[in-house]
Amino acid sequence: MAATVEQPRLVVHLVHQLDVGGLENGLINLIRHMPPERYRHTIVCLKDYTEFHAHIKERGVEIISLNKREGKDFGHYMRMYKTLRALQPDLIHTRNLCGFEGQLVAALAGIKLRVHGEHGRDMSDLYGKRLKYQVLRRVLRPLIGHFIAVSADLEHWLIDSVGAEPERVSQICNGVDSVQFHPRLGPPAAVGPAGFMHDNAFVIGSVGRMVDVKNYPTLVEAFLRLIASPHPAHQRLRLLIVGDGPERAECLDMLTRAGASHRAWLPGERTDIAQLLRTMDLFVLPSLAEGSSNTILEAMATGLPVVATAVGGNTELVHPGFTGILVPPRSPDLMAAAIADYCRIPEMGARHGMRARSQVIARHSLPAMARGYLAVYDSLLGHAPCAGTEPPRR
């Protein structure tokens, strides 16, 4: 009698929206590196998804939109319930604050195995202490079989503030493709409008959604202070911010009012991030809060030194004096001083960037990230672990 081939288990990933962003890219990378003979995947979006991730559908991944309206939309709970009942997944994996309510709907829909991931906080709850959200998390916490945090900061917060049992929390670092994101070979390619790049330019770069929590006006302010100074090295400076969002218009207006538009390029959303990173000499992230920044990891893999705010998981990725410099949030003076150090001492940037890439290769590979998630899923589903995976750790 022929042996019965076991059907791959179905995992539903519940996210707010599938658009350009670190969490979303991390999810796509995770699906790409999970063994297809063990797990199938469906992505359920509370709102919608863009064509940016349409290629994942070609891999057999179904993407479902619940079309949640802005504000209160109680109807989306019923749509979520019906969707989950129809899918009948073996496991559901929710993410961030919006996912907590999904845990209750999943339990009502009869999904017994439930995982929740924390990837970072937004402007409405920078430190995870807002009372109504804390009550929601504590009330729904018993429904969650296992928590995943992308940084030690979030891991400690889940245990100390949310009350998660330590043995039910795993920290799994984000991974990055160090083949796609690699240092440039030779001089940087000319990018941007005419006159933006020149042979001696020093490009300060950043990549991310231009929303309030990313705080890009602080970076623009630091740049404007530098180019207004008389130091001759600062005349080389150029600013490149890749991404779109409501703060892009404010940043462009700041540059226009200062008469510095010709020294900056804010091209909006792009798909050639790896190539644009290779035109930069320094990566800067001015966020007010972070989980574990995928863009920092991509910059480090590209061999760039990093100036970042000392918030969340940034302090675990950037080692001051070794791979970069950390500064307090909302401190344009200190950010400008850190940028100036790299502009004036180019050998320091080369040294820190080389160490940053070595750190990424050693600790933040995509296969290592996938093995961490695989170990959690296998443990909950009673699978024998795959070769090379380890049980989830505290």
Side-chain angles (χ1 to χ4, degrees):
M1 181 180 294
T4 302
V5 178
E6 184 179 356
Q7 173 83 348
R9 302 296 185 93
L10 176 61
V11 178
V12 162
H13 302 271
L14 180 68
V15 297
H16 180 252
Q17 189 169 352
L18 199 61
D19 202 347
V20 179
L23 184 157
E24 294 83 355
N25 284 333
L27 170 57
I28 300 305
N29 283 329
L30 173 63
I31 292 173
R32 284 174 170 169
H33 286 79
M34 292 285 274
E37 70 277 7
R38 293 176 77 85
Y39 292 104
R40 297 174 291 130
H41 304 270
T42 294
I43 302 172
V44 175
C45 308
L46 295 183
K47 294 190 71 176
D48 53 20
Y49 59 92
T50 67
E51 290 305 307
F52 183 75
H53 292 302
H55 58 279
I56 198 67
K57 297 171 73 173
E58 298 172 5
R59 302 173 65 94
V61 177
E62 184 180 11
I63 305 177
I64 299 171
S65 174
L66 299 179
N67 298 308
K68 181 182 182 299
R69 296 189 297 272
E70 291 296 333
K72 297 295 183 183
D73 179 10
F74 295 105
H76 92 278
Y77 295 117
M78 182 55 67
R79 295 193 294 275
M80 187 191 306
Y81 175 83
K82 290 180 178 178
T83 298
L84 295 179
R85 287 289 293 175
L87 291 171
Q88 284 295 297
D90 298 280
L91 183 148
I92 187 167
H93 186 159
T94 63
R95 289 162 172 83
N96 287 352
L97 178 63
C98 64
F100 263 91
E101 294 177 337
Q103 290 281 334
L104 176 58
V105 177
L108 294 173
I111 303 171
K112 293 183 171 56
L113 300 179
R114 299 178 294 272
V115 173
H116 180 75
E118 285 291 339
H119 293 251
R121 308 184 190 102
D122 57 30
M123 199 70 181
S124 64
D125 192 23
L126 278 179
Y127 306 106
K129 295 181 178 180
R130 194 169 176 183
L131 181 60
K132 70 174 184 177
Y133 296 146
Q134 280 295 72
V135 170
L136 173 69
R137 292 177 179 116
R138 284 186 167 272
V139 168
L140 298 183
R141 182 195 66 219
L143 297 177
I144 299 170
H146 204 87
F147 290 89
I148 294 173
V150 298
S151 68
D153 171 66
L154 289 170
E155 178 185 17
H156 296 316
W157 169 74
L158 282 169
I159 295 167
D160 299 336
S161 297
V162 179
E165 300 170 22
E167 61 273 17
R168 292 192 175 193
V169 183
S170 297
Q171 182 197 342
I172 302 175
C173 298
N174 286 340
V176 63
D177 186 342
S178 58
V179 175
Q180 179 186 7
F181 294 92
H182 63 81
R184 69 180 178 231
L185 304 173
V191 299
F196 172 70
M197 292 284 285
H198 60 83
D199 291 342
N200 200 32
F202 184 93
V203 180
I204 306 161
S206 193
V207 178
R209 292 175 296 119
M210 297 194 73
V211 293
D212 47 10
V213 74
K214 299 298 182 181
N215 195 31
Y216 278 109
T218 289
L219 172 56
V220 174
E221 180 62 29
F223 172 72
L224 293 176
R225 293 185 187 193
L226 284 169
I227 63 175
S229 79
H231 198 289
H234 298 173
Q235 302 314 303
R236 304 166 51 209
L237 293 175
R238 296 292 185 269
L239 178 65
L240 168 57
I241 303 177
V242 184
D244 205 358
E247 286 207 336
R248 181 166 174 261
E250 179 184 349
C251 291
L252 287 169
D253 185 56
M254 291 173 66
L255 291 161
T256 300
R257 283 188 278 110
S261 297
H262 63 292
R263 299 178 67 167
W265 184 38
L266 280 65
E269 186 178 303
R270 301 276 294 207
T271 58
D272 55 345
I273 301 300
Q275 292 88 335
L276 291 175
L277 281 169
R278 285 192 284 275
T279 69
M280 301 175 188
D281 297 284
L282 173 68
F283 187 85
V284 183
L285 192 68
S287 304
L288 301 177
E290 282 291 341
S292 181
S293 169
N294 281 284
T295 55
I296 283 183
L297 289 174
E298 290 167 357
M300 291 171 68
T302 308
L304 295 176
V306 175
V307 171
T309 45
V311 297
N314 291 355
T315 60
E316 301 164 40
L317 299 179
V318 180
H319 298 165
F322 192 78
T323 63
I325 298 174
L326 291 170
V327 297
R330 294 192 176 103
S331 301
D333 281 336
L334 293 176
M335 181 168 286
I339 294 169
D341 284 348
Y342 285 109
C343 177
R344 298 175 191 178
I345 315 171
E347 62 271 17
M348 183 176 79
R351 189 166 60 247
H352 288 185
M354 180 179 64
R355 293 170 181 164
R357 178 164 171 82
S358 297
Q359 178 182 316
V360 162
I361 291 172
R363 305 178 191 173
H364 296 281
S365 72
L366 288 175
M369 177 188 75
R371 286 195 298 270
Y373 283 92
L374 186 61
V376 171
Y377 294 174
D378 284 351
S379 175
L380 292 173
L381 285 160
H383 271 315
C386 279
T389 63
E390 297 177 359
R393 71 165 188 84
R394 248 286 278 125

